[in-house]
Amino acid sequence: MWKEFKEFAIKGNVIDLAVAFILGAAFTAIVTSLVNDIFMPFLGILIGGIDFSTLAVSVLGVNVTYGNFLQEVLKFFLIAFALFMMVKTLNRLKREKAVEEEPEPELSREEQLLSEIRDLLKERP
């Protein structure tokens, strides 16, 4: 059983998953800061400084703070948008890099000769 567990734990997929999880946790702090420190202040300016988290209603003596829910939903959409834009940018950079690295295919000797013949025929009057 120990041998099976060791094989499972050392497989590349498990290690890749662990690395992805740790990087995801670190990346969460970046995205959260982007939303809380950059997007939310600008949004506050646009909506006149309204703080949704203070919105509440009293129902049968119970205070329902629906504003917190609205605030978190708004943060979710802002985080999703920020991630979308980051992934879109990374994908564009990958495509550009792939195009740059794509080498021009070498022509076989036969293709080279045919190209030369074609060029000679074009030069004829």
Side-chain angles (χ1 to χ4, degrees):
M1 186 152 109
W2 174 252
K3 184 179 177 183
E4 286 180 75
F5 175 74
K6 190 171 141 182
E7 287 175 12
F8 169 77
I10 296 178
K11 278 185 179 178
N13 293 345
V14 174
I15 293 172
D16 291 345
L17 181 62
V19 169
F21 181 78
I22 292 167
L23 285 175
F27 191 67
T28 299
I30 294 170
V31 174
T32 301
S33 176
L34 177 68
V35 169
N36 290 338
D37 301 331
I38 296 175
F39 287 168
M40 291 306 283
F42 284 120
L43 186 63
I45 292 169
L46 290 174
I47 61 174
I50 297 173
D51 184 10
F52 291 120
S53 62
T54 60
L55 299 176
V57 65
S58 182
V59 178
L60 300 173
V62 176
N63 198 20
V64 178
T65 54
Y66 67 92
N68 285 333
F69 175 74
L70 291 176
Q71 188 83 12
E72 294 305 316
V73 169
L74 183 62
K75 281 184 184 180
F76 169 79
F77 283 114
L78 289 173
I79 288 172
F81 179 74
L83 285 174
F84 170 74
M85 294 306 292
M86 287 180 183
V87 168
K88 186 175 179 170
T89 302
L90 290 174
N91 286 340
R92 185 172 5 115
L93 292 174
K94 279 184 183 179
R95 279 193 303 270
E96 290 173 4
K97 185 178 179 185
V99 169
E100 290 174 4
E101 292 179 358
E102 205 172 275
E104 192 171 311
E106 280 191 38
L107 297 176
S108 69
R109 181 69 182 142
E110 185 178 278
E111 291 172 327
Q112 289 174 350
L113 289 172
L114 288 171
S115 296
E116 288 175 16
I117 292 170
R118 180 199 62 210
D119 293 341
L120 289 172
L121 288 173
K122 281 183 182 178
E123 291 175 5
R124 289 178 69 188

